[in-house]
Amino acid sequence: MSDEAISKESFAVLLDRAGLTVPEAEAEELRAAYFYVKEMAARVRTPRGREAEPAHIFALPHPEV
Amino acid sequence: MLGDNAFPTLADASRQLEAGQATSAGLTEMLLERIAVYDGRVNSYLLVTADAARAEAAEADVQIKAGRRRGPLHGVPVAYKDIYETAGVRTTGHSRSLEGNVPTQDAATVAKMKAAGAVCLGKLATHEFAFGGPSFDLPWPPARNPWDTERFTGGSSSGTAAAITAGLALGGFGSDTGGSIRLPAAFSGLVGIKPTYGLISRRGVMPLSYSLDHAGPMAWTTEDCALLLEVMAGHDPLDPGSADVPVKPYASLLERDIKGLRIGVLRHFWEEAEATPETVAALEAALDVYRGLGAEIVEVTLSPLRDYCACCSVILMSEAIAVHEGVLRDRPESLGMILRQRLRLASLLSAADYVQALRRRRELVAESAAAFESVDLMFTATTPAPAPRLDDMGMMYTFAKPLLTMPFNVTGAPAIATRAGVAASGLPLSFQLVGRPFEDDLVLAAAHAYEQATDWAAARPQLEPMANVA
């Protein structure tokens, strides 16, 4: 994965999509840190079949027997 | 009775109360006096409930004297991280956004402690909502490390660590989502256990990440933690994550023989975290102690530490923004800058990122369970180095280096941090022991065995009284 910082323009799109209005200096700090988010999001994507379930599943209460 | 290091451990105080050698009123007054003299050095308390504490202590003394002692915690003074809701007592999460918040109900754990007769001294500093800190732009300053007040306590249970280390409470309560009990315990030379997920109710403890949050005790010794855990643990049908399992008598199980236990060493974790040579030397010395106690030491390899940390962080951030997106959108100025920025960063994760992290979590939990088929406990560092300087803690420090504590939030396994000696700087070092789910008793017993075989618990930090400062 590239460790190049995301461009200002692309990062502005991400902030906008998230509904965030951020002062420029704070946006720059976030842009520099965004590398960590990309790196983490890449790491949780291991090769796995589509049947691999998440850790948290939906379960209804068991009926009384 | 200030006497710099004359205060007892929680367990000693309990025994003194039982034997009639101390009173709850006396212990409480001694601690309130110490808070008045020393807390200005470490900023551990956001609120001291002195009058209520005196009243609770007086009531405890009456009951104990009348032969109605409820148990080992009756009359023992403790304090709570300020994310534990306390009925009628301000609970802020160390955040301006909740500066005037007064809950009407106690957290389930606080209610249990009250029922056990413990005395509440007050509410303790935390990182803002257990996520943003150390911060200097909040209504209260960050806690400071009693071993060196220019140093970080670790977080987020920062005030709990500082108060116990400085002798301003005999025990306390923290929460641990990525290491927030164990990291401050390590940097402050304490014992802190993140119990098995579901063993302690989270109801009434402000959430950060529903599936990673653990409430737990912090104290000077393992025995102290066992006594606290025994009261805190138990099924709560009103907490969807609570496990319906029996509570074990943790304190009376401490003395079990650990001869023949197989301890798996996660050496690659501390290598990946770039542990300092003196940390590694302390870890190896601790393993020698366990060998001497008859344990068998073997190597264990799991996925890279960074894989566990990525999984933990993506889940933590995704759930945290779900908790806090309203205030971030509507009143961002009511949050400190560190929390605001971390939540903004969390907003940039996608739904797919979250679900992929949950799928990864299932894989990592299975991997850990498989490793536990051949060992009884796992052993690794708690931190790669002693406490850093407080002013070195950047806004994004939690992302820059992998945290050795996060893997066990992912797996939900019980993990204890305990002191492993002292660095050349005089700051404490620490290791973690990790057990199978719901084998918290074994984790405590193994930590206790090490503690009994070493004398690291003897040293207390010396603080300058506030009154002596020009």
Side-chain angles (χ1 to χ4, degrees), chain B residues 200-268:
Chain B
I200 293 179
S201 174
R202 300 162 300 142
R203 179 166 54 92
V205 180
M206 291 177 181
L208 171 59
S209 170
Y210 303 103
S211 69
L212 296 167
D213 288 345
H214 301 65
M218 301 165 71
W220 193 253
T221 68
T222 309
E223 183 186 17
D224 295 351
C225 283
L227 288 168
L228 293 167
L229 182 60
E230 218 167 289
V231 171
M232 296 176 82
H235 181 231
D236 178 2
L238 299 179
D239 171 358
S242 179
D244 192 358
V245 296
V247 175
K248 297 178 184 175
Y250 300 105
S252 54
L253 292 172
L254 285 176
E255 300 295 340
R256 61 199 279 184
D257 192 356
I258 68 162
K259 192 173 181 182
L261 277 186
R262 282 172 65 86
I263 299 178
V265 181
L266 288 164
R267 194 178 303 276
H268 70 101

Side-chain angles (χ1 to χ4, degrees), chain A residues 26 29 43 45 48 52 55, chain B residues 307 341 344 353 359 363:
Chain A
E26 293 165 30
E29 184 178 53
R43 272 189 181 270
R45 286 168 164 82
R48 56 171 82 93
Chain B
D307 284 15
Q341 287 289 68
R344 284 167 171 162
D353 293 333
R359 297 172 84 198
E363 295 165 353

Side-chain angles (χ1 to χ4, degrees), chain B residues 261-271 280 283-284 287-288 291 295-303 367-368 370-381:
Chain B
L261 277 186
R262 282 172 65 86
I263 299 178
V265 181
L266 288 164
R267 194 178 303 276
H268 70 101
F269 273 12
W270 75 66
E271 289 172 353
V280 173
L283 296 170
E284 298 294 353
L287 289 172
D288 282 342
R291 284 189 190 94
E296 184 184 352
I297 308 298
V298 298
E299 300 290 319
V300 170
T301 302
L302 299 175
S303 291
E367 170 187 86
S368 173
F372 267 121
E373 287 177 8
S374 59
V375 296
D376 300 300
L377 294 166
M378 293 189 198
F379 172 102
T380 196

Side-chain angles (χ1 to χ4, degrees), chain B residues 141-226:
Chain B
R144 291 178 175 273
N145 194 318
W147 293 97
D148 176 348
T149 55
E150 296 303 311
R151 299 277 168 169
F152 186 35
T153 54
S156 62
S157 307
S158 49
T160 312
I164 299 164
T165 307
L168 312 182
L170 298 186
F173 300 87
S175 66
D176 192 315
T177 307
S180 290
I181 286 174
R182 291 162 289 156
L183 295 171
F187 285 154
S188 305
L190 294 178
V191 182
I193 181 168
K194 180 201 77 63
T196 304
Y197 184 82
L199 187 66
I200 293 179
S201 174
R202 300 162 300 142
R203 179 166 54 92
V205 180
M206 291 177 181
L208 171 59
S209 170
Y210 303 103
S211 69
L212 296 167
D213 288 345
H214 301 65
M218 301 165 71
W220 193 253
T221 68
T222 309
E223 183 186 17
D224 295 351
C225 283

